Amino acid sequence: MDHRTVLLAFLCFLLVTVRSEVQKDFSPECREFMYMGTPPRGLENRSLKKICQRYNGKPRYVTLYDVVDHIPVYSAYTFKRSDGFKKVDVPWMFEPQLSTASDSGEMQPFPPNDVHDSFSDAQAVLEDYSNIVDFERGHLNPDEHQAHPDDKAATYTLTNVVPQIREFNVGHWKQHEHIIRRRLNNYCRGKAYIVTGVTTSGRMIRRYNTDRVAVPTYLWSSYCCIDYDHNAPFDERSKFPAFAAYGLNEKEGAEVTEMSVQQIEDFLKKNTFVDKRFQIFFGNCEPNDAIMAGQT
């Protein structure tokens, strides 16, 4: 029995014996971060783990995490109105739910380096992002889309970040996050649900001659807000109840393109491993009286 088989067997043991939030299916309290309590469908793979990201006693958002590529495939969260500028000073955290060294069900600050190997098979560690020039740790659930300090702090786990080219991370993608924050702040009257994810094509960050962390080819994001301002300017009103965008994770040619949710789904069907059933939001975020009654 090889090391990976032993690790997977032990992880299964942990899931049964400790208060873990790596779930076969998301629990009701974790489904609140997804429109109609429904995660994106058409993403099935044995290496993908559903994580309810918990911090300071509460679930904060959910992530579909690839324990082989060591990156999130997507993070799904509810948008919180904020000014976008207040930051929190917290250490980077790891996910004990994927660890063989902790019995905690909540994200925790990284322990001393000498115990990182106890969970580095299943997730990225700080060393994977050290001594690399081109990439930064780019959030899928960005802190500027959260308001409460604990919700902001919860975004600083490596299970919520991917390697982003620095120029893209601080440039076009950051500007896109600003645009979405302002749009939802101004015109979304109810709850907004956001799913942000990646596509990859085999490029990896390597450490000690080993493939460690997949580098996204594209980042994409979609939001859904069925209760919006119908008197908003047409240019903004036309982007409700749902809209989407994607950008190329490169230094050049990395402009972010906005499009309909249907268009982003078609794009992803051609550029990543989603199947023909792939759907980001239940019912394509198309409101009707029954749905709107359930959201109020």
Side-chain angles (χ1 to χ4, degrees):
M1 186 177 293
D2 62 23
H3 176 69
R4 184 174 292 274
T5 302
V6 172
L7 175 63
L8 289 175
F10 189 66
L11 284 173
C12 291
F13 170 76
L14 283 177
L15 295 182
V16 175
T17 58
V18 305
R19 186 176 67 87
S20 175
E21 290 291 317
V22 174
Q23 302 171 345
K24 183 177 180 181
D25 200 6
F26 291 116
S27 63
E29 67 174 352
C30 300
R31 285 178 173 268
E32 69 178 79
F33 302 107
M34 298 171 287
Y35 178 63
M36 297 301 291
T38 304
R41 71 180 187 186
L43 283 163
E44 300 295 335
N45 188 296
R46 287 187 302 173
S47 70
L48 302 181
K49 305 299 181 183
K50 296 175 180 177
I51 301 175
C52 187
Q53 303 271 22
R54 301 183 67 94
Y55 179 80
N56 200 15
K58 291 178 58 178
R60 305 292 171 173
Y61 58 101
V62 299
T63 295
L64 187 67
Y65 192 77
D66 192 325
V67 296
V68 174
D69 282 348
H70 301 147
I71 58 169
V73 174
Y74 68 73
S75 284
Y77 59 96
T78 51
F79 173 82
K80 314 298 191 306
R81 289 176 177 80
S82 73
D83 58 18
F85 296 108
K86 295 177 181 177
K87 303 292 184 180
V88 291
D89 184 15
V90 294
W92 282 99
M93 290 175 278
F94 77 105
E95 195 51 72
Q97 303 168 44
L98 299 173
S99 170
T100 62
S102 174
D103 61 359
S104 173
E106 297 190 359
M107 61 184 73
Q108 300 289 330
F110 271 92
N113 292 341
D114 57 357
V115 298
H116 283 192
D117 287 343
S118 64
F119 53 82
S120 61
D121 274 4
Q123 62 185 293
V125 295
L126 290 173
E127 288 90 336
D128 294 323
Y129 286 92
S130 64
N131 301 318
I132 54 174
V133 177
D134 292 334
F135 301 106
E136 293 186 342
R137 290 165 286 203
H139 291 65
L140 296 189
N141 174 7
D143 65 351
E144 80 162 85
H145 285 184
Q146 304 298 328
H148 192 280
D150 282 354
D151 289 330
K152 287 179 176 290
T155 68
Y156 287 87
T157 168
L158 292 194
T159 50
N160 180 50
V161 302
V162 297
Q164 284 189 38
I165 295 290
R166 184 182 186 279
E167 290 81 356
F168 179 59
N169 184 35
V170 302
H172 289 296
W173 193 252
K174 178 58 67 177
Q175 181 62 25
H176 170 69
E177 292 172 342
H178 292 337
I179 290 171
I180 299 306
R181 176 180 55 80
R182 291 194 295 267
R183 181 181 299 159
L184 296 179
N185 271 349
N186 291 334
Y187 304 114
C188 179
R189 297 295 180 246
K191 185 177 290 187
Y193 302 86
I194 300 182
V195 182
T196 300
V198 302
T199 76
T200 62
S201 60
R203 186 181 179 188
M204 302 288 290
I205 290 176
R206 293 174 60 83
R207 182 164 59 92
Y208 301 135
N209 296 318
T210 301
D211 288 342
R212 283 294 304 160
V213 181
V215 176
T217 304
Y218 293 97
L219 270 74
W220 59 269
S221 187
S222 301
Y223 65 81
C224 167
C225 170
I226 62 172
D227 182 8
Y228 62 94
D229 183 0
H230 290 262
N231 294 316
F234 176 77
D235 285 349
E236 297 294 345
R237 189 170 72 249
S238 64
K239 298 178 175 65
F240 286 93
F243 220 56
Y246 76 92
L248 182 66
N249 186 29
E250 293 289 351
K251 291 182 179 180
E252 299 179 358
E255 291 81 5
V256 174
T257 302
E258 285 198 286
M259 61 188 62
S260 71
V261 172
Q262 182 62 58
Q263 287 173 318
I264 200 70
E265 289 174 346
D266 291 342
F267 172 81
L268 293 173
K269 288 174 183 177
K270 296 175 183 177
N271 288 276
T272 191
F273 54 81
V274 300
D275 65 29
K276 294 180 179 179
R277 301 178 303 116
F278 180 63
Q279 186 178 65
I280 298 173
F281 298 116
F282 177 86
N284 293 316
C285 187
E286 295 178 359
N288 58 44
D289 291 342
I291 289 176
M292 291 188 73
Q295 293 293 300
T296 57

